[in-house]
Amino acid sequence: MAIDQEKVQDLEKAPGQPEAALEELSAQTPRELPLQERVVTINRVSKVVKGGKRFSFTALVVVGDGEGRVGSASGKARDVQSAIRKAAARARKSLISFPLSQNQTIPYEVIGHFGASRVWLKPAAPGTGVIAAGGVRAILESGGIRNILTKNLGSSNPYNVVYATLNGLVSLRTKEQLLRARGKQ
């Protein structure tokens, strides 16, 4: 479900305080946000039971709005579609926000850690594109980053790489937040 564009236009034309009404409209629950879903990996897993093996599927899914909000989660079910649906629903509930600079990159270089994976993220000049692979690319493109350099250091396990990328993005701060934290406001 997308934000109703007619309501937005009506609120912009209305006299008074359209900013407050626009903020209320944009503060939607994760279910209502227009999010893109990307499947990072699907894995078949099995459980040994009395009569043999019981197979099920796990899916790692990334969701994002393209404007600095992204989330990821895994889901498990007896069929692939149900696993993807479960993972997407969980990912919508675990959205994180991060700052984007004006040329659709991150403000500064950062390294994200998770498990044995480290992901190095470095801002790039406009026109560079997303230099990343696999789960890192899915996270960055879903979050709205268009120019960035990355390098996977350590483990290449898709789950750890995705969570390391999220860790790096969560640690980013805006210039105003850093100045406020240092007491130089």
Side-chain angles (χ1 to χ4, degrees):
M1 292 184 221
I3 296 175
D4 189 1
Q5 294 300 321
E6 293 177 2
K7 285 184 182 177
V8 172
Q9 290 171 353
D10 291 342
L11 289 171
E12 288 173 344
K13 293 177 188 174
Q17 298 281 334
E19 294 82 18
L22 280 173
E23 287 176 9
E24 178 185 321
L25 191 60
S26 66
Q28 297 176 335
T29 62
R31 286 181 182 264
E32 298 169 346
L33 287 172
L35 300 173
Q36 314 162 13
E37 295 177 10
R38 287 185 153 199
V39 177
V40 176
T41 185
I42 296 173
N43 193 19
R44 188 180 81 166
V45 294
S46 63
K47 173 183 178 180
V48 178
V49 293
K50 187 176 179 181
K53 292 181 182 176
R54 182 168 294 162
F55 294 103
S56 59
F57 296 90
T58 61
L60 179 61
V61 174
V62 170
V63 297
D65 67 351
E67 297 173 6
R69 279 188 296 243
V70 70
S72 74
S74 62
K76 183 176 175 183
R78 294 292 300 266
D79 61 299
V80 175
Q81 290 302 321
S82 297
I84 293 171
R85 191 175 61 252
K86 282 183 180 181
R90 287 184 186 140
R92 288 174 185 274
K93 294 176 185 175
S94 68
L95 290 176
I96 59 135
S97 295
F98 60 91
L100 281 173
S101 68
Q102 292 174 343
N103 56 356
Q104 294 183 317
T105 189
I106 56 177
Y108 53 88
E109 186 176 323
V110 69
I111 296 177
H113 302 267
F114 188 86
S117 291
R118 294 189 335 255
V119 176
W120 173 71
L121 306 168
K122 182 179 180 182
T128 304
V130 177
I131 310 298
V136 180
R137 177 179 287 274
I139 289 273
L140 298 175
E141 288 181 348
S142 295
I145 295 175
R146 300 287 170 256
N147 302 299
I148 193 164
L149 302 170
T150 67
K151 178 71 178 153
N152 181 16
L153 309 166
S155 171
S156 60
N157 178 318
Y159 287 83
N160 288 352
V161 168
V162 165
Y163 292 129
T165 306
L166 285 173
N167 175 266
L169 293 176
V170 152
S171 68
L172 292 172
R173 301 284 176 254
T174 62
K175 185 177 180 180
E176 293 78 25
Q177 289 171 331
L178 291 173
L179 288 174
R180 199 174 325 119
R182 295 174 185 170
K184 297 181 180 183
Q185 183 94 346

